[in-house]
Amino acid sequence: QVQLVESGGGLVQPGGSLRLSCAASGSIFSISAMGWYRQSPGKQRELVATITSGDITNYADSMKGRFTISRDSAKNTVSLQMNSLKPEDTAVYYCNMDARAYYGDFIRGYWGQGTQVTVSS
């Protein structure tokens, strides 16, 4: 129904920047909230940032001031600009969208396959 594909991960040195993008495709009636989560080995998946359909943003405390989430609702995309990256930011980053696949559908949460971000010198 709804497929999410992330891009933009990779290896970056501490203090560097990366920009992640996520595009939704398939049968899409509407998308409400969009967000990014991450998961490090041995840890639970955690919130990075979310953005509502009204462009209200929310960030995890450790990302405030360093990360910026944005969306293009016309293109069904969400991006995450990550600056001042630290080794502890190393994780698989997942895109999430709450969407309806068709008129009358329930809002369902969809996930991308994840993209690896490694911060290391």
Side-chain angles (χ1 to χ4, degrees):
Q1 290 180 326
V2 179
Q3 294 84 40
L4 305 183
V5 178
E6 300 108 333
S7 60
L11 173 65
V12 64
Q13 293 186 341
S17 299
L18 279 177
R19 185 176 180 85
L20 306 182
S21 296
C22 175
S25 62
S27 175
I28 301 171
F29 176 74
S30 65
I31 299 175
S32 52
M34 298 180 175
W36 288 94
Y37 294 74
R38 69 185 188 186
Q39 188 167 19
S40 304
K43 295 185 178 180
Q44 289 187 328
R45 191 172 297 188
E46 63 175 349
L47 168 74
V48 174
T50 60
I51 184 168
T52 69
S53 57
D55 290 335
I56 296 173
T57 59
N58 178 56
Y59 296 91
D61 287 344
S62 62
M63 287 72 160
K64 289 179 180 178
R66 299 189 300 126
F67 292 7
T68 302
I69 189 171
S70 59
R71 65 187 284 169
D72 185 333
S73 295
K75 297 181 179 180
N76 293 327
T77 60
V78 61
S79 297
L80 183 70
Q81 178 65 42
M82 304 185 294
N83 299 327
S84 302
L85 284 162
K86 305 174 182 179
E88 51 263 44
D89 293 318
T90 296
V92 177
Y93 284 70
Y94 296 91
C95 170
N96 170 265
M97 295 188 188
D98 293 333
R100 287 188 174 93
Y102 52 88
Y103 176 77
D105 188 20
F106 295 104
I107 294 178
R108 306 173 192 271
Y110 293 90
W111 293 90
Q113 81 286 353
T115 185
Q116 177 70 46
V117 171
T118 302
V119 184
S120 175
S121 55

